[in-house]
Amino acid sequence: MPKGHINRALGVQRNKLLRYKLIKELYQKSIQEHPYTPLTQILQNYICPVYPISRTTLYEVLTTPVTSELKRIEEAINAQTKLFN
C-alpha cells in the first residue's frame, strides 16, 4: 500500500476522533447546564445546530474512548513519519 494512502486513512480517523472530542465536550457542557434535560432534547437543541448528527451517531460518539484512540492514532502517525523520513 502506498504511504500516502496509509497516512490519509490515519488522518481521516484522527480528524473524526477530534470531532468526536468536540461533540463530547459540547454534550458534557450541555448536561452540566441542563442536568434533567433528555438526551434527545440535548441533541436537538445544543448539538445539532453545531454538529448535525443523528441520535445513533451521538451514541457512537459517547461510547468511543476518544483519548485512548487518539493516542493510538498519533503513535501510528509518528511511527510512519519516522519510517518514511
Side-chain angles (χ1 to χ4, degrees):
M1 198 174 339
K3 82 172 187 178
H5 180 69
I6 296 170
N7 287 336
R8 188 175 309 119
L10 288 172
V12 167
Q13 182 69 14
R14 187 177 112 228
N15 287 341
K16 180 178 96 170
L17 290 168
L18 290 171
R19 189 171 48 254
Y20 278 16
K21 182 179 178 186
L22 293 172
I23 293 169
K24 274 187 161 185
E25 289 170 357
L26 180 57
Y27 173 79
Q28 291 300 326
K29 180 180 178 225
S30 301
I31 288 295
Q32 286 176 355
E33 292 174 1
H34 311 282
Y36 300 106
T37 306
L39 181 108
T40 52
Q41 286 184 351
I42 293 287
L43 176 63
Q44 182 180 7
N45 296 335
Y46 305 103
I47 297 174
C48 276
V50 181
Y51 302 101
I53 60 173
S54 68
R55 188 176 55 185
T56 304
T57 303
L58 179 60
Y59 288 138
E60 181 182 330
V61 168
L62 296 176
T63 59
T64 300
V66 173
T67 306
S68 61
E69 289 291 315
L70 268 173
K71 184 178 178 184
R72 185 180 62 78
I73 294 292
E74 292 293 340
E75 288 170 356
I77 290 171
N78 289 339
Q80 280 189 358
T81 303
K82 289 177 186 175
L83 184 65
F84 291 111
N85 285 336

